[in-house]
Amino acid sequence: MSDISSLKTQVQTEADKILPELIKIKNKIGNNPELGSEEEKSSRLLVELLRKNGFEVEYPFSDMHTAFKGVIKGKTSGPIIAILAEYDALPGVGHGCGHNIIGTSGVGAGIALKKIIDELQGEVWVIGTPAEEGHGPYAGAKIQMALKGVFDEVDVSYMVHPTGNLTTVMGNFLAVSGVRLEFKGKTAHAAADAHNGQNALNAAMVTYMAIHANRQQLRRDANAVVHGIITEGGLASNIIPDRAVLSFGVRSSDDTYVPELVDMVVNSAKGAALATGCTVEITTRTGLKSNLQNKGLEKLFQNIFDELCHPYKPLEEAAVIPPGGSTDFSDITHIVPGIHPLIGLGVENIAGHSTALAEATLTPKGDKALEIGVKTMAMATVELLKKPELLREIQKEFEAKRLD
Ligand SMILES: [Zn+2]
Ligand SMILES: [Zn+2]
């Protein structure tokens, strides 16, 4: 036990040593946001840091030029812990989701563990997973990797994500699917020949309102969310638009409810097409699952937050907060036991996906969240690789839930 305590102290010391460099890279990535599938500079910075600290790094990895996999091996073979790193930004709000903290936390945890890896049995992988926000061909990169077998040998996987105020030990996420609706009508002079036109924008508006009309009837117990935008709605006000495009996301904490929500959106569009004399082309994209919880991992991370005197939301309070967003990490929690804590930046009333959050990641509060992320994941890895019985318990719970 004292061995484990001293190793945990050592990884904290190593984390403190590397922290100034990690902060610099976090801020550099934060100030140079790159959209998903285009994270060339961000991924290179993280890969260079891993290599400089003795990691074997495969880059590009898994047929994605901004993905990487860094590996360190213990004194003998044993369990594999995969720490995931994200570093993609959002259009308009830069690092408004704080992935500059995620990437540097994952890489930092790996580097802190490198110094003591000879004392451990097993392997630590740091996997750079692009395009979590769904932009470009690498959208759902973790799922693409899983399909190629990247997680086949992995025993446990985790990552951390920044959030507004207080830390949540186990982040929970909604299943999500996407629906794209492309209406086609007929152009005509908007005044003189309007009767000869078929107005695709009107079809889009009727769709939007039909979806609104259904909101009251959505299942509240399933945390249903339907959100969308009109991406195309005509070229000039004096032309009846012959083309309009909508993009919708439907989410729920009940994976089986998502197809029903997709049907509701699709039927709203079909009804609108009929009403306006337009045609509609519908593309549905099966997206992400909701996450599988693991109480064993939750307990492990909670204990480490206690050890670090890092405050978090009381578990009973966190348990009744409906899940907010979605992530491709949820799919990984159906393949191996996984946890995705949300590390509080200690800033009240800050919205996710906002420029305010992007700015907060660059402050001393952002530095602190990074430090906590690095230390927590490094210490959890020590425990998991030093306590085979703990790992077995976590895996047993995972198998039982997966069979449910
Ligand atoms: Zn996000
Ligand atoms: Zn995010």
Side-chain angles (χ1 to χ4, degrees):
M1 206 57 189
S2 65
D3 180 28
I4 296 177
S5 302
S6 98
L7 288 174
K8 283 198 290 186
T9 308
Q10 279 186 58
V11 290
Q12 289 184 66
T13 309
E14 294 302 330
D16 287 331
K17 280 192 213 158
I18 187 90
L19 196 61
E21 198 168 2
L22 290 172
I23 290 170
K24 264 190 217 153
I25 293 178
K26 167 192 54 96
N27 293 346
K28 210 166 181 175
I29 295 173
N31 285 319
N32 297 280
E34 295 173 299
L35 294 178
S37 311
E38 299 167 12
E39 315 98 321
E40 279 108 11
K41 287 181 198 141
S42 307
S43 59
R44 198 175 313 122
L45 279 169
L46 296 170
V47 166
E48 278 167 9
L49 190 63
L50 284 171
R51 284 189 174 141
K52 202 170 90 179
N53 284 280
F55 272 72
E56 289 277 333
V57 186
E58 206 179 317
Y59 174 61
F61 173 63
S62 195
D63 301 322
M64 292 178 244
H65 78 295
T66 58
F68 61 85
K69 176 184 161 190
V71 174
I72 45 170
K73 292 184 180 178
K75 60 181 170 189
T76 56
S77 62
I80 296 172
I81 308 295
I83 298 172
L84 307 192
E86 297 169 0
Y87 31 84
D88 60 319
L90 288 156
V93 292
H95 273 288
C97 206
H99 294 189
N100 50 332
I101 292 182
I102 302 179
T104 41
S105 292
V107 164
I111 293 169
L113 286 157
K114 170 71 175 87
K115 315 293 171 179
I116 58 137
I117 195 70
D118 291 340
E119 308 283 325
L120 302 173
Q121 297 180 344
E123 296 179 23
V124 176
W125 295 1
V126 178
I127 305 178
T129 59
E132 191 277 333
E133 299 290 358
H135 185 268
Y138 305 157
K142 297 179 190 70
I143 301 169
Q144 294 190 39
M145 287 180 185
L147 289 172
K148 288 182 196 135
V150 169
F151 291 91
D152 287 0
E153 293 167 68
V154 170
D155 290 275
V156 172
S157 182
Y158 32 80
M159 57 174 284
V160 292
H161 194 302
T163 189
N165 190 15
L166 257 187
T167 289
T168 301
V169 180
M170 183 160 212
N172 280 314
F173 300 94
L174 302 167
V176 61
S177 281
V179 188
R180 185 177 181 276
L181 306 166
E182 190 180 326
F183 287 98
K184 288 200 178 109
K186 205 171 124 203
T187 55
H189 191 289
D193 272 313
H195 56 285
N196 284 321
Q198 279 150 348
N199 194 323
L201 176 61
N202 283 350
M205 302 298 286
V206 172
T207 303
Y208 208 87
M209 295 318 293
I211 290 167
H212 271 320
N214 278 295
R215 283 187 199 280
Q216 188 186 355
Q217 291 69 244
L218 300 184
R219 270 177 54 198
R220 290 158 73 184
D221 67 301
N223 300 305
V225 185
V226 182
H227 51 90
I229 54 168
I230 299 177
T231 57
E232 290 178 50
L235 298 171
S237 66
N238 60 357
I239 308 168
I240 298 277
D242 66 340
R243 182 181 157 80
V245 182
L246 297 99
S247 174
F248 271 87
V250 300
R251 308 192 197 214
S252 172
S253 51
D254 178 353
D255 293 56
T256 64
Y257 191 43
V258 172
E260 277 187 49
L261 295 171
V262 169
D263 281 349
M264 184 272 282
V265 171
V266 166
N267 288 333
S268 298
K270 283 181 179 169
L274 190 64
T276 56
C278 294
T279 59
V280 62
E281 204 171 291
I282 298 161
T283 316
T284 57
R285 187 165 49 88
T286 305
L288 312 170
K289 293 179 174 156
S290 64
N291 63 305
L292 212 55
Q293 295 185 349
N294 190 292
K295 292 281 163 208
L297 279 173
E298 188 176 17
K299 189 83 197 137
L300 169 67
F301 275 74
Q302 186 194 350
N303 290 343
I304 292 169
F305 287 131
D306 285 337
E307 216 172 313
L308 291 169
C309 298
H310 178 70
Y312 51 85
K313 265 185 206 136
L315 296 188
E316 45 302 351
E317 193 186 303
V320 295
I321 299 172
S326 308
T327 167
D328 55 357
F329 184 77
S330 294
D331 285 62
I332 302 308
T333 66
H334 292 261
I335 300 167
V336 295
I339 186 166
H340 183 296
L342 303 170
I343 309 282
L345 287 161
V347 187
E348 299 263 11
N349 301 323
I350 194 169
H353 286 191
S354 67
T355 46
L357 197 138
E359 282 159 17
T361 69
L362 304 175
T363 65
K365 288 182 173 176
D367 301 348
K368 187 67 190 173
L370 164 62
E371 178 194 333
I372 294 295
V374 171
K375 288 183 176 172
T376 309
M377 290 193 286
M379 289 162 77
T381 308
V382 169
E383 296 241 12
L384 288 168
L385 293 183
K386 273 287 178 189
K387 291 184 186 161
E389 69 288 354
L390 173 67
L391 185 61
R392 264 198 305 277
E393 201 182 297
I394 284 165
Q395 284 171 327
K396 228 169 93 186
E397 182 190 343
F398 167 74
E399 293 300 339
K401 280 201 173 131
R402 192 157 66 153
L403 295 175
D404 266 356

